[in-house]
Amino acid sequence: DVIGTSVLADVRTVAGTTRSFTLKTGSDLPAVGELVHFGKKSSESLALRVRNIEPGEDFSAVLHMVAAAPEIDELIDAYVPPAWNGIVGEEIDLDAIVAPAPVFSKIASGEDPEADPNVVQILLSPGSGSSVTVARFEIDHKLAASGSWSTETIPVAAGGGAINAYAVDDEIEIRARSIADDGTAGTWTAEIPHTVGSGALALPAALDEAAITVAGGMGNARITVAVPNDPAIAEIQLYRVPAGDTLDRNLHAAGRFAVSPLTTVEYVDGDATRANLLFNPNFDTATDWSTGANWTIAAGKATHSAGAPGSVSQAVAMVSGRFYRLAFTASGVSAGSVTPYLSGGSDRPGTAVTVNGQALDRIQAVTDNDTFELRASSDFPGNVDGAILFEETTSCIDQGTWDYYLEPVNASGAPGPETAVFSTSIV
């Protein structure tokens, strides 16, 4: 048509020579003034612009062309550039970029018989997982029975330092943090206990990140760890952080579990008792589901074709006042929406889904809700699969994406280096 949109229509084929043709039933007819291209179905007509004409032999020419793309001109005409300020890119939120906690590689006193046993020697290095340049370390120390910290500041190049403020048999606590070159302070390590003069503290080595899996589930995350052959590792501290936030060891501590070297352990963070209330959630067959207008079930998907609104549903026993979490995966979406509902009695709608991918939702049931539905609008063409519905409990981890960190801990509570982040989605 006049703005360049191409409509393809099949022609009725009749053997022989003819001066006219007819379109198959259901095809859009061209209006007066519109261009019609007639040709093989496997060919295509495109609006092009000639960029260059290259002369060839025998008066031939090679045309170099690109798509006309008039929408580019429209976008350029509509674009309003921002006021000039000389800044390239976007402003960076420096508060969100902090140095990770440093890693202790040695805490010792009384280890060397020729050295002063009252002096605590410390070695540490910058933590991994950040591009922040660390300029110095702050090492805090205090008597275990005292609430007053003293601070030692050392350049990062020194790799450590010494504390000469205590006597043999004093029970002390030590922590450290990194300071970036712009002065921004990072997060503190855990508080590590040490008895002055007791020798070298056996600090755990790093966990093997390739031997760790974190899988999100229904109100929980399942953490599996193959523990390395390190006798210093007695426990693993787990941290659960909202996706993208900076780790705070006090705020985000999610649990600690005992381990032994050369074993594989599994730990569930959250409620592991939840079960999917839906039968045949992957639409392997058409059983257990009721299909409304324009819905079909085949090949592991429930599919809705545009043309009429309708729902695919399943009867589910629900308790009034309780929250129910749900998830499903949408694919092939190009228009319209599909919306989860708890129905029967008063309808309880969730959030309309208009894009492809896994959708998460949470709906509170009311009296007489006894059916789970996915309602498609009349213009929705698409598929759904992987449906989940379960009753929420107070032990369930909040729905959404979380970042998990693991940290080995020795029998005295002294931690080793934390792992890189493991991100997962919890329904």
Side-chain angles (χ1 to χ4, degrees):
D1 63 16
V2 292
I3 63 170
T5 300
S6 178
V7 177
L8 302 181
D10 286 340
V11 173
R12 292 187 181 277
T13 54
V14 179
T17 302
T18 180
R19 294 188 177 184
S20 64
F21 57 80
T22 58
L23 303 183
K24 287 186 177 180
T25 302
S27 299
D28 293 335
L29 295 176
V32 174
E34 293 182 334
L35 294 176
V36 176
H37 300 262
F38 174 69
K40 292 182 180 180
K41 188 174 181 179
S42 59
S43 301
E44 185 176 3
S45 299
L46 297 174
L48 302 170
R49 289 186 178 181
V50 178
R51 294 186 58 191
N52 184 37
I53 301 177
E54 179 183 339
E57 296 180 354
D58 299 326
F59 299 101
S60 64
V62 178
L63 302 181
H64 297 268
M65 297 177 287
V66 295
E71 62 272 17
I72 296 178
D73 295 328
E74 295 171 3
L75 291 172
I76 292 174
D77 292 340
Y79 176 70
V80 178
W84 170 255
N85 60 12
I87 298 176
V88 177
E90 298 180 356
E91 185 174 343
I92 298 175
D93 181 8
L94 294 178
D95 291 337
I97 305 177
V98 298
V103 177
F104 285 99
S105 57
K106 184 175 184 179
I107 298 176
S109 59
E111 178 186 29
D112 185 351
E114 298 182 2
D116 186 347
N118 298 305
V119 178
V120 181
Q121 300 289 339
I122 294 175
L123 297 179
L124 71 171
S125 58
S128 60
S130 174
S131 59
V132 175
T133 302
V134 178
R136 59 189 184 277
F137 298 123
E138 284 185 356
I139 302 174
D140 275 7
H141 55 90
K142 67 181 182 69
L143 289 169
S146 170
S148 178
W149 290 99
S150 298
T151 302
E152 308 286 341
T153 301
I154 59 173
V156 69
I163 300 173
N164 189 10
Y166 304 101
V168 170
D169 294 332
D170 280 348
E171 301 287 341
I172 66 172
E173 293 178 346
I174 302 169
R175 66 180 185 180
R177 65 178 178 179
S178 299
I179 307 297
D181 55 5
D182 65 353
T184 302
T187 56
W188 289 104
T189 65
E191 297 173 9
I192 300 176
H194 177 64
T195 301
V196 178
S198 62
L201 183 65
L203 295 171
L207 297 171
D208 183 357
E209 294 176 5
I212 299 172
T213 61
V214 178
M218 292 183 287
N220 66 73
R222 195 173 298 272
I223 296 91
T224 305
V225 184
V227 185
N229 188 18
D230 182 356
I233 300 178
E235 296 177 307
I236 292 178
Q237 174 66 53
L238 185 70
Y239 299 99
R240 181 188 347 108
V241 185
D245 285 5
T246 301
L247 170 63
D248 183 313
R249 281 176 165 73
N250 295 321
L251 179 64
H252 298 138
R256 182 179 288 192
F257 50 97
V259 297
S260 300
L262 294 178
T263 61
T264 298
V265 296
E266 185 175 82
Y267 180 83
V268 177
D269 181 37
D271 188 345
T273 68
R274 299 300 83 200
N276 193 351
L277 299 176
L278 299 175
F279 294 99
N280 187 20
N282 295 318
F283 301 97
D284 295 324
T285 66
T287 58
D288 302 307
W289 293 94
S290 297
T291 52
N294 290 44
W295 280 97
T296 58
I297 295 176
K301 288 179 172 50
T303 301
H304 181 266
S305 58
S311 67
V312 59
S313 61
Q314 185 174 140
V316 180
M318 287 177 273
V319 180
S320 177
R322 298 304 296 264
F323 280 93
Y324 289 81
R325 295 191 190 180
L326 62 97
F328 62 92
T329 299
S331 61
V333 180
S334 59
S337 64
V338 59
T339 305
Y341 274 82
L342 304 184
S343 61
S346 300
D347 282 352
R348 299 288 291 168
T351 302
V353 175
T354 59
V355 296
N356 295 317
Q358 188 184 50
L360 304 179
D361 215 333
R362 178 176 180 265
I363 307 174
Q364 187 178 29
V366 296
T367 303
D368 294 330
N369 281 166
D370 59 3
T371 304
F372 170 72
E373 295 186 53
L374 292 172
R375 295 185 187 178
S377 61
S378 60
D379 56 343
F380 174 80
N383 313 302
V384 295
D385 63 355
I388 296 173
L389 180 73
F390 68 94
E391 183 180 323
E392 180 183 274
T393 68
T394 56
S395 298
C396 289
I397 305 302
D398 288 347
Q399 193 175 59
T401 304
W402 294 91
D403 292 341
Y404 279 89
Y405 298 84
L406 287 78
E407 186 177 69
V409 181
N410 70 7
S412 301
E418 70 193 41
T419 65
V421 63
F422 291 85
S423 295
T424 192
S425 179
I426 293 178
V427 176

